[in-house]
Amino acid sequence: MKRDRLASPTHQDPKVEIESQLRHLLGQVMCESGELHRLILSSISEIIFITDNSGVLTFVSPNVQETFGYSSYEIQELDNISQLLGDNLFRWQDLDSSGEISNIEREIIDKAGRRRTLLINIKQVSIRGGTLLYSCRDVSDRKQTEQALQARDRQLRAFFEGAIDAVLIADDEGRYVDANPAACELLGLCKADVLGCRISDFAEPHFDFAQAWCSFLEQGRVTGEFCLLRPDGTMREVEYASTANFLPHRHLAVLRDITQRKQVEAEILALKTQLEQGAIAPAGEMRWQQWTDCPIFNPQGGFVAFQSVARDVAEPKPMEQGLAQSDTYYQIISELTTECQQTEAVLRESEERFRATFEQAVVGISHCALNGEFVRVNRKFCDLMGYTQEELLALSWRDITHPDDQRAGEDYTRSLLVGEIEHYSCEKRYIRKDGGIFWGNLTLSLLREPSGEPKYLVKVLEDITERKRAQEERREATERMELVIRASNDGFWDWNLLTGEIYFSPRWKEMIGYTDDELPNQVTSWEKVLFPEDRITTLKRLEDYNSGKISRFLITQRFHHKNGSTVYVFSRAMHLKNEQGQVVRMIGAHTDITDLVNAQEALRSLTQREQEKATQLELALQELQQAQTQLVQQEKMASLGQLVAGVAHEINNPVSFIYGNINPASGYTQDLLHLLELYQQHYPQPAPEIAEQLKIADLEFIAEDFPKLLVSMQNGADRIRQIVLSLRNFSRHDQTELKSVDIHEGIDSTLLILQHRLKPQPDRPEIRVVREYGQLPQVECYPGQLNQVFMNLLSNAIDALEESGCSVQNSGCSEKTAENEQGKTPFTPTIRIRTEVIEHSSGKSDRTACPWTTNHDSLEAPTQPKSPEEPERSSSVVIYISDNGSGMKIDVHHQIFNPFFTTKPPGKGTGLGLSISYHIVNNRHNGQLFCRSAQGQGAEFVIEIPISQCQSNDTHKG
């Protein structure tokens, strides 16, 4: 009968026919299920693994070879998934608590030996033979791009933070939202205090901020100068360049402190004025898949565009609804053969597996009809859009797409429908149920009928809002940093210490006269243009900075300009360290300070010339003052000499008369007294009147006292004659002429004039004068001027002794009056005068001008005198005038010969005596006057003059 059925199709068994139709239907379903499975897994970038609890693989997605390099069959032969992904991927307690673990980063080595970074999600599922579902995504390119962008961001931030100019960013209201350290330093505030301020907070009170801000926004870019008032009250001259809306709602201002430059310019202008017055004084088509932005710069360092790197990130496509089981075929299916039942079990297993993949996918998956209406959506898609599944099934794709992005990708969709491409990806904005907008990465593929006709679209959606926001922030930051770099007018360099690679910005090369192409980015280029001595200093400073010896790298360098000139550069840098603390990179900035250095050098040169002129004028003024003082003093001494000479002359005449008549008067007196004696002998009884008169006159007393009276008159006349002679010697009219005189005579005359000051006073005993005269020849000198020197030195010695005596009386006890160990020795003020002749080989003595002696005994140690007979050509006379007063302090000792310097109270000294004496001895007599003194041990003045001034002049000339 069976053969009959086969031979006669019109009489086939209905059961066999139903079985045949069912087989055909099952085969079609299997084909569609496999096609759906292939489309879903080929449309997503994730690689799916299913394992049991021990890690044995039960399922591997077919796209595994793209990432791992192994086929799915090679991977299924592995004993455990840990051989592929590594050990210790997760902890069971974490998985049991939440049911899933997301975003595990793991680095693997693919079949070709390349390193790849995977982002792994693990879920607990219940699919045939498996309990764990691994979803792996290759994020190597994104990771590398993110690292490159982060490095670029750090570099730009370093440029921003290290810029020497103040850089400020303001919002639409003019309030600062960002500031670099240089801006904080210029404004005198920390960054927290700067943020929120306006430029009006640092401007003068009459500054109209509203008008200036509106004008700035209209013009777009302004430059100029203004006075900046800091919170501490100081003022800074500032040069500025501002750009409006360099980013949306952000405005850039670059400020440079030019206070020092202004001051230098003002000082140069003032000095020039004083001198004039004579006073002292992407190409190609872009396809968005998974985006990573990277800025592109032209050879001159200017920003051109962003380069975007894309990677397919499509997600699994939802599978179709399961097979519809018709009640009509229920009885027939139950009678199918064992082969049909096995086929149905395979279909059920496949549907369970792909349903789990569809529902538990980490991306949104939807099936859409060709008109855009949703047919099926998974849970993640509902979460992304904020709708329930029922609400979405009532909408179309256009209902949730942003109006501006609805036409995006239409060309690709048409190519997909005609079979030119299998899938495509693009980025769009979508509208959630609550009205919120988010960015999504859409991967679109097409499921076709067995006949090849399009059936429905599989769309995989991933939320990339955060990534887009981060990309936008990075783009804004990159643009902002580029504007800051260009506005700062500084040159920048970036040195990789590990590889030795170095980058010089075009502005860096422009500073020294080179274009970007003329000077390669090599360390040898830096060594070529830098001064050799500065290179050694710079390398040493770099070593100290990287080793931590100094906290900041700041240095001024000199570079050879292309035209041969010298460029002065102020360089500062900062280093970057790795996790081990090793310096791996240095970034620095250069500022051209040549104009400032030249201005400072010009100012320094002008100042030096003015100082030299001032010094010359000061010397001339001192010489003039000294000459005036000498003239006044000489005039005073001349007048005093005339007065003394006149007085001496007038006194000399009557004194000579008296002196000349004393001897005759003495003789007459003796004769008269002898006559009276004779009268008494021969006339013992005089007349009463004579006897009465003899009794009244006391003739015996007169006879005894009158000779004594004449002797006293004789002594007084002699004293007057000596004083007159001393006055005549002291006030010699021939002081302008050189004469050979007796030095001892001048000293004695001066002492005679000062005799009244040597006598005892109520506050001190008599000043003892000790003369230790050597044998001196006649000395060629200006006698009057030399007597003036003796008068000044002896007067100062008396003043010093009187001051010491007053100190002793007021204190009641001092070193001078203290009892020594040998006995009681009261303080006796003493002036010691010692003279001698010395010989030396040169015209000038080799004595120190002002030696300091601490041992008073050495002051009084006698020197072996030279024989005055036939003095040698280079012989000199030395006069030592010392006292045992309180001595001098070191600071006083160093100034005693300065004009107008005195330690006496006002009105008691002019400070010119020693200065004039120094001039008379050193300049007029070609000698030396110096002092040796120690506090508490007295002082000694030494006068040394040549015996012959003619010989001295010849010696000086020789």
Side-chain angles (χ1 to χ4, degrees):
M1 179 178 286
K2 186 174 182 180
R3 287 192 298 271
D4 293 338
R5 292 196 190 98
L6 293 174
S8 181
T10 57
H11 299 286
Q12 287 182 357
D13 188 350
K15 189 174 183 179
V16 175
E17 184 178 357
I18 292 173
E19 180 180 354
S20 176
Q21 293 177 358
L22 182 58
R23 288 180 179 274
H24 177 73
L25 179 61
L26 290 174
Q28 184 176 354
V29 171
M30 287 286 291
C31 181
E32 291 183 359
S33 177
E35 179 67 15
L36 178 61
H37 170 233
R38 184 187 65 80
L39 284 174
I40 290 176
L41 294 181
S42 64
S43 299
I44 64 176
S45 59
E46 278 82 4
I47 303 169
I48 305 299
F49 300 102
I50 301 177
T51 70
D52 58 13
N53 289 340
S54 61
V56 177
L57 289 162
T58 61
F59 175 78
V60 178
S61 60
N63 59 345
V64 68
Q65 191 168 2
E66 297 178 3
T67 300
F68 290 87
Y70 300 97
S71 66
S72 58
Y73 302 103
E74 291 176 319
I75 293 178
Q76 285 178 344
E77 292 177 356
L78 298 177
D79 297 332
N80 196 288
I81 196 172
S82 61
Q83 296 177 259
L84 187 64
L85 302 180
D87 297 326
N88 302 321
L89 190 61
F90 65 93
R91 296 189 306 174
W92 276 102
Q93 53 268 37
D94 297 337
L95 184 62
D96 293 338
S97 62
S98 61
E100 63 177 317
I101 301 177
S102 303
N103 299 327
I104 303 173
E105 282 195 8
R106 176 59 60 94
E107 190 176 81
I108 60 126
I109 306 296
D110 63 8
K111 187 175 182 178
R114 294 171 297 184
R115 292 184 178 273
R116 293 182 178 270
T117 302
L118 302 181
L119 190 65
I120 305 174
N121 299 322
I122 305 175
K123 287 186 178 182
Q124 286 184 327
V125 296
S126 296
I127 304 176
R128 172 184 166 270
T131 58
L132 299 179
L133 184 144
Y134 294 78
S135 173
C136 305
R137 176 182 297 180
D138 186 2
V139 294
S140 303
D141 295 338
R142 186 181 73 185
K143 195 74 173 179
Q144 294 175 358
T145 304
E146 288 177 352
Q147 291 175 351
L149 288 175
Q150 290 173 0
R152 183 64 175 175
D153 289 344
R154 288 194 300 269
Q155 180 182 10
L156 294 177
R157 173 54 64 175
F159 289 163
F160 176 77
E161 297 294 337
I164 194 171
D165 290 331
V167 183
L168 297 158
I169 300 174
D171 58 16
D172 289 335
E173 296 180 0
R175 300 188 182 276
Y176 296 133
V177 297
D178 200 0
N180 70 342
C184 299
E185 181 179 358
L186 176 61
L187 300 178
L189 297 173
C190 65
K191 185 174 182 179
D193 295 334
V194 172
L195 302 185
C197 294
R198 295 174 175 171
I199 191 61
S200 58
D201 298 331
F202 307 95
E204 297 177 334
H206 61 271
F207 177 73
D208 189 351
F209 172 77
Q211 180 181 358
W213 186 254
C214 292
S215 176
F216 163 63
L217 294 179
E218 291 175 359
Q219 297 180 26
R221 177 175 176 80
V222 294
T223 60
E225 299 177 1
F226 75 99
C227 292
L228 185 144
L229 301 179
R230 290 158 54 98
D232 58 2
T234 59
M235 180 180 294
R236 297 287 182 88
E237 292 285 337
V238 173
E239 182 181 36
Y240 67 91
S242 302
T243 303
N245 293 305
F246 81 106
L247 290 175
H249 308 292
R250 290 294 182 265
H251 315 282
L252 175 69
V254 180
L255 311 180
R256 174 172 292 178
D257 188 354
I258 59 172
T259 305
Q260 187 176 8
R261 189 183 75 191
K262 289 290 186 180
Q263 293 174 352
V264 170
E265 292 174 353
E267 292 175 0
I268 292 176
L269 180 60
L271 286 173
K272 288 182 178 178
T273 304
Q274 291 177 356
L275 288 174
E276 294 173 355
Q277 298 175 354
I280 303 172
E285 183 179 359
M286 180 181 295
R287 180 184 177 191
W288 283 98
Q289 293 180 344
Q290 180 173 348
W291 292 89
T292 303
D293 293 338
C294 180
I296 301 175
F297 301 90
N298 60 22
Q300 289 73 33
F303 174 79
V304 176
F306 281 96
Q307 182 181 11
S308 300
V309 180
R311 181 178 62 83
D312 288 339
V313 290
E315 297 294 338
K317 177 180 179 182
M319 58 183 297
E320 293 288 343
Q321 297 287 341
L323 294 174
Q325 299 181 0
S326 176
D327 294 339
T328 307
Y329 298 109
Y330 177 76
Q331 184 176 0
I332 298 174
I333 292 175
S334 62
E335 297 175 357
L336 288 176
T337 61
T338 303
E339 181 182 355
C340 182
Q341 292 176 354
Q342 293 176 351
T343 302
E344 182 180 4
V346 171
L347 287 174
R348 186 165 50 251
E349 177 186 344
S350 177
E351 181 172 349
E352 290 177 357
R353 180 168 62 250
F354 292 109
R355 183 181 299 276
T357 303
F358 180 83
E359 292 295 338
Q360 299 181 21
V362 296
V363 293
I365 304 176
S366 66
H367 297 171
C368 294
L370 298 180
N371 60 3
E373 294 180 353
F374 291 107
V375 177
R376 175 182 292 179
V377 294
N378 71 346
R379 186 189 311 160
K380 182 64 177 180
F381 191 88
C382 296
D383 295 339
L384 289 175
M385 304 308 304
Y387 290 96
T388 63
Q389 186 175 13
E390 291 75 11
E391 290 174 336
L392 283 173
L393 294 179
L395 301 175
S396 69
W397 190 261
R398 295 182 178 85
D399 294 332
I400 62 172
T401 305
H402 194 280
D404 297 340
D405 295 343
Q406 288 187 1
R407 300 183 62 86
E410 287 185 353
D411 293 338
Y412 290 109
T413 303
R414 284 192 292 268
S415 298
L416 182 66
L417 292 174
V418 298
E420 295 179 354
I421 58 176
E422 293 185 358
H423 58 82
Y424 76 89
S425 298
C426 66
E427 292 184 352
K428 293 183 178 181
R429 289 167 293 178
Y430 298 95
I431 304 174
R432 293 189 177 93
K433 180 179 180 180
D434 58 6
I437 299 175
F438 73 96
W439 278 92
N441 183 63
L442 175 66
T443 302
L444 187 64
S445 57
L446 180 64
L447 183 65
R448 297 178 180 274
E449 296 285 357
S451 62
E453 291 295 325
K455 187 175 183 180
Y456 57 83
L457 298 171
V458 178
K459 297 186 177 183
V460 179
L461 181 64
E462 179 185 5
D463 186 359
I464 60 171
T465 304
E466 292 300 324
R467 189 180 73 192
K468 293 291 287 186
R469 182 182 296 110
Q471 292 173 355
E472 182 65 20
E473 291 176 353
R474 285 195 295 270
R475 184 188 64 80
E476 292 180 357
T478 302
E479 292 180 354
R480 181 165 61 248
M481 291 300 104
E482 288 295 333
L483 286 172
V484 168
I485 292 173
R486 289 199 296 267
S488 66
N489 203 31
D490 288 345
F492 293 91
W493 52 271
D494 186 355
W495 186 13
N496 190 325
L497 299 179
L498 298 181
T499 64
E501 298 176 353
I502 194 168
Y503 167 77
F504 301 111
S505 69
R507 174 56 184 157
W508 189 95
K509 302 175 183 178
E510 181 184 347
M511 286 183 182
I512 51 180
Y514 292 90
T515 64
D516 195 22
D517 298 332
E518 290 178 327
L519 201 63
N521 292 330
Q522 298 174 359
V523 177
T524 55
S525 300
W526 174 75
E527 296 175 345
K528 169 187 174 183
V529 298
L530 183 66
F531 276 56
E533 53 270 28
D534 290 357
R535 181 170 65 89
I536 298 174
T537 305
T538 301
L539 293 176
K540 180 63 170 61
R541 186 68 59 86
L542 281 172
E543 180 181 354
D544 293 343
Y545 173 62
N546 290 332
S547 63
K549 293 182 180 180
I550 57 177
S551 59
R552 301 178 65 187
F553 179 82
L554 301 172
I555 193 171
T556 300
Q557 300 169 318
R558 294 169 299 169
F559 288 85
H560 296 287
H561 196 276
K562 185 179 179 180
N563 60 12
S565 61
T566 300
V567 179
Y568 290 86
V569 169
F570 177 67
S571 177
R572 62 268 182 219
M574 62 181 296
H575 56 213
L576 302 176
K577 298 183 178 181
N578 56 17
E579 296 178 353
Q580 291 75 29
Q582 178 187 5
V583 179
V584 298
R585 189 175 181 182
M586 290 198 69
I587 300 174
H590 280 188
T591 301
D592 188 350
I593 59 172
T594 305
D595 293 340
L596 178 60
V597 171
N598 292 337
Q600 290 177 343
E601 185 63 29
L603 176 61
R604 187 161 42 248
S605 178
L606 287 173
T607 303
Q608 184 177 0
R609 291 199 298 268
E610 293 306 313
Q611 288 177 347
E612 292 175 354
K613 291 182 178 180
T615 302
Q616 296 174 357
L617 290 175
E618 184 178 357
L619 293 175
L621 179 61
Q622 290 179 357
E623 293 177 357
L624 178 60
Q625 290 176 344
Q626 188 174 6
Q628 290 175 343
T629 303
Q630 291 292 333
L631 290 174
V632 171
Q633 189 69 15
Q634 290 176 4
E635 186 66 25
K636 289 170 60 178
M637 292 303 297
S639 300
L640 178 61
Q642 294 176 359
L643 175 62
V644 171
V647 171
H649 178 73
E650 293 300 326
I651 294 176
N652 189 52
N653 289 332
V655 168
S656 297
F657 173 76
I658 296 172
Y659 187 80
N661 291 317
I662 287 178
N663 287 332
S666 178
Y668 297 157
T669 301
Q670 294 295 332
D671 293 342
L672 288 174
L673 290 175
H674 182 67
L675 180 60
L676 287 174
E677 289 179 357
L678 291 176
Y679 269 101
Q680 286 178 347
Q681 291 177 2
H682 296 285
Y683 299 99
Q685 297 298 326
E689 186 177 355
I690 295 174
E692 183 66 24
Q693 187 62 36
L694 289 173
K695 185 178 181 180
I696 295 173
D698 195 359
L699 183 58
E700 294 180 358
F701 174 77
I702 292 175
E704 180 182 357
D705 188 63
F706 191 68
K708 296 180 180 180
L709 180 61
L710 291 176
V711 172
S712 296
M713 292 176 64
Q714 178 72 35
N715 293 335
D718 290 338
R719 176 65 175 167
I720 293 174
R721 291 190 64 191
Q722 292 177 2
I723 292 175
V724 170
L725 181 61
S726 297
L727 290 174
R728 293 180 62 185
N729 290 335
F730 183 80
S731 60
R732 294 176 184 268
H733 292 290
D734 53 3
Q735 59 181 341
T736 59
E737 298 179 1
L738 284 170
K739 281 196 174 185
S740 297
V741 298
D742 185 358
I743 293 295
H744 294 160
E745 183 180 343
I747 297 174
D748 292 338
S749 298
T750 305
L751 288 172
L752 183 60
I753 296 173
L754 296 173
Q755 186 65 39
H756 68 287
R757 296 194 61 188
L758 300 175
K759 295 180 180 180
Q761 302 293 333
D763 55 352
R764 65 163 174 81
E766 180 183 2
I767 298 176
R768 185 168 64 97
V769 178
V770 179
R771 295 175 176 86
E772 297 177 353
Y773 290 165
Q775 296 181 3
L776 302 183
Q778 294 286 314
V779 178
E780 191 176 17
C781 64
Y782 298 95
Q785 296 182 11
L786 203 57
N787 288 340
Q788 182 182 354
V789 173
F790 297 151
M791 177 67 73
N792 290 334
L793 297 182
L794 290 171
S795 297
N796 285 341
I798 295 172
D799 291 338
L801 292 173
E802 289 180 345
E803 182 180 353
S804 299
C806 293
S807 300
V808 171
Q809 186 179 23
N810 293 334
S811 62
C813 175
S814 70
E815 294 179 0
K816 298 293 182 179
T817 60
E819 297 182 1
N820 56 28
E821 295 179 357
Q822 286 75 21
K824 300 181 180 179
T825 304
F827 169 58
T828 301
T830 303
I831 296 177
R832 187 183 303 273
I833 304 173
R834 181 164 57 90
T835 62
E836 64 177 356
V837 176
I838 63 171
E839 298 177 0
H840 42 76
S841 58
S842 62
K844 278 281 185 180
S845 172
D846 58 355
R847 301 172 184 264
T848 306
C850 289
W852 187 265
T853 304
T854 58
N855 187 354
H856 186 65
D857 296 337
S858 65
L859 298 179
E860 302 181 355
T863 305
Q864 293 296 331
K866 303 296 180 179
S867 174
E869 299 179 358
E870 297 181 0
E872 296 182 1
R873 185 170 177 265
S874 59
S875 299
S876 298
V877 172
V878 183
I879 303 100
Y880 304 90
I881 301 176
S882 62
D883 63 76
N884 60 347
S886 59
M888 306 179 198
K889 298 180 180 178
I890 296 179
D891 55 343
V892 174
H893 179 271
H894 290 164
Q895 305 180 69
I896 57 175
F897 295 116
N898 294 341
F900 307 106
F901 174 79
T902 181
T903 59
K904 299 176 182 178
K908 292 188 178 182
T910 61
L912 294 174
L914 290 178
S915 176
I916 293 173
S917 300
Y918 185 88
H919 175 75
I920 291 172
V921 174
N922 287 53
N923 297 339
R924 298 285 290 172
H925 291 83
N926 298 317
Q928 291 189 84
L929 172 61
F930 54 89
C931 173
R932 296 190 289 234
S933 179
Q935 189 173 8
Q937 300 184 15
E940 180 181 63
F941 285 86
V942 181
I943 304 170
E944 178 184 341
I945 58 175
I947 294 177
S948 174
Q949 292 296 320
C950 294
Q951 295 175 353
S952 174
N953 291 334
D954 293 340
T955 302
H956 282 294
K957 290 178 182 179

